[in-house]
Structure formats: C-alpha cells, structure tokens
Amino acid sequence: SQQGEEDPQALSIQEGENATMNCSYKTSINNLQWYRQNSGRGLVHLILIRSNEREKHSGRLRVTLDTSKKSSSLLITASRAADTASYFCATESGSARQLTFGSGTQLTVLP
Amino acid sequence: DAGVIQSPRHEVTEMGQEVTLRCKPISGHNSLFWYRQTMMRGLELLIYFNNNVPIDDSGMPEDRFSAKMPNASFSTLKIQPSEPRDSAVYFCASNLGNTDTQYFGPGTRLTVL
C-alpha cells in the first residue's frame, strides 16, 4: 500500500514560478525523502528530512515536515523547463531500511 | 562511478516465457532493492537484500517471482512463467546499509504479450 500520497497529482506552471507539492503519510517515520523521475528514467534522490527536522534547503529546493499532521511539502523556486518531471515522496519507518513511495506529482514547467 | 546498472533496458516476451532481469549495484553498496512501477500501482518494493541476504520479500507478488544475490556485485529477478500483468518497469536500487539515500538504476521496461 502507498504510505505517501502526493497532492496535486499533476501541476503545470510557467517558467520562473514556484511549484509546491505536498505529501501525506500514515505512520510514524524516521525520515522522508523526495525523489525526481524524468520520463523513461530512474529515480534521483533530491533531499532528505529527518523526523526531528522541520525544514531543509538545498539550492532551489525547500522541504518542510510537519510530523503532527503527517505531511511534507516540497517547494521548487524559480522553476525551469528542466524541472519538468515526476516528483515522489518516500518514507522510511521503523527498523526497516526500505522506502515506501507515494503516487507522485507530475510537474510540467512551460517555457 | 557508473551508477547502478540494469540489463536489459527493454524486454519483450510472450506469456509463459521465463524472464531474467539483472542488476549490478554501485560498488561498495551493501543493500539492494528491487521495485516495480506501473501506472495502476505506482512504485512498489518487491524485495531487498542486505549483505547479499534477502531481508524482506513480502512485496514479491507470487511464487512466479524469485530474486537472488549470489555476490555483492550482482542480483537477478526472475519471473517464470511470465504473464501480461507482469508488464511494468522494474527498477533496481542500492545504498550503503547505514545511509538512507537510494541510488536507482535506469530500469528495465518489461512487456509480456
């Protein structure tokens, strides 16, 4: 079953605008990660936030985590056409090392 | 580093045939994961290995699926016999067991006719 559910399922914006994607999950987590997948390619890790962190930045990416609401958001600032991809959140829980992925948000950045 | 290597990249086969997917993890990584991605079910973990030992295979759909990791640099996922509903993209990923980030291969797109 999907631990994380992304919202929206699809997002289309103009180049230069900011893109915000949300992820909700159901159980307690150790960390939450965001991955990007370009069409026909494998997933690429973007950023990880641990359960005791509330916000993290990496370049144009900003991730927040609200463990009380079991939700996270990924903000991409000043989007570029090259940011067009699917974005997945993934959670790691308990002692297991495996990740449980959400259903993804398809982001389209129009030039 | 070449990253995670998967072969073949594309496989088209007929129902009932045996299919073998291959994965070479990043050198030095001791955990390996097999995922399946479909439009309907998204990305599902099938099985993962730690130090070549299967740790959790609860995601393997049925007995037609089997996975092995004979050494630290090679793993296979076998489907025998294959069925049309097995059509999907199969990803292999690896990482160091004490880290959290997973590194994905390019995937194998399997089509079972």
Side-chain angles (χ1 to χ4, degrees):
Chain A
S1 63
Q2 297 290 333
Q3 159 79 313
E5 294 297 329
E6 277 95 338
D7 168 55
Q9 289 188 337
L11 179 62
S12 184
I13 60 174
Q14 295 289 330
E15 203 165 28
E17 293 180 340
N18 295 342
T20 299
M21 289 159 270
N22 302 297
C23 169
S24 60
Y25 57 92
K26 298 174 184 174
T27 64
S28 296
I29 61 172
N30 299 330
N31 64 69
L32 185 145
Q33 305 178 35
W34 286 90
Y35 287 77
R36 184 181 78 186
Q37 184 180 31
N38 288 79
S39 180
R41 308 289 291 274
L43 280 75
V44 175
H45 180 262
L46 294 176
I47 194 166
L48 178 153
I49 187 164
R50 301 196 182 281
S51 60
N52 61 353
E53 297 176 311
R54 292 296 168 258
E55 187 172 314
K56 207 162 184 180
H57 298 254
S58 176
R60 293 184 297 113
L61 305 180
R62 173 177 166 251
V63 172
T64 62
L65 179 65
D66 187 335
T67 53
S68 66
K69 295 181 179 178
K70 292 186 169 58
S71 68
S72 173
S73 67
L74 171 67
L75 169 68
I76 304 174
T77 60
S79 64
R80 305 166 182 168
D83 295 329
T84 294
S86 291
Y87 291 82
F88 295 88
C89 69
T91 55
E92 183 188 294
S93 304
S95 59
R97 303 301 301 180
Q98 67 260 44
L99 297 175
T100 304
F101 283 83
S103 52
T105 293
Q106 172 62 49
L107 173 66
T108 302
V109 181
L110 303 169
Chain B
D1 195 326
V4 176
I5 299 172
Q6 290 187 247
S7 65
R9 293 294 311 277
H10 301 273
E11 176 81 26
V12 180
T13 190
E14 293 188 344
M15 183 174 63
Q17 296 297 306
E18 177 180 296
V19 175
T20 300
L21 311 181
R22 297 173 175 80
C23 175
K24 177 178 169 55
I26 293 173
S27 177
H29 284 185
N30 60 352
S31 291
L32 183 140
F33 307 81
W34 281 101
Y35 292 89
R36 178 173 68 177
Q37 186 177 38
T38 62
M39 289 294 293
M40 290 296 292
R41 299 176 66 87
L43 199 66
E44 304 172 281
L45 177 67
L46 300 177
I47 185 171
Y48 88 95
F49 294 85
N50 191 47
N51 293 323
N52 311 339
V53 176
I55 302 301
D56 185 349
D57 65 354
S58 60
M60 296 285 263
E62 48 198 274
D63 292 345
R64 296 185 298 106
F65 286 68
S66 63
K68 294 181 180 179
M69 192 164 186
N71 57 62
S73 59
F74 184 65
S75 177
T76 59
L77 178 67
K78 186 176 292 186
I79 308 172
Q80 166 63 17
S82 58
E83 296 182 3
R85 60 192 168 120
D86 302 330
S87 297
V89 182
Y90 291 81
F91 289 101
C92 175
S94 70
N95 71 358
L96 279 169
N98 60 353
T99 62
D100 305 302
T101 301
Q102 292 185 17
Y103 296 83
F104 280 75
T108 294
R109 181 173 294 277
L110 173 65
T111 302
V112 184
L113 303 173

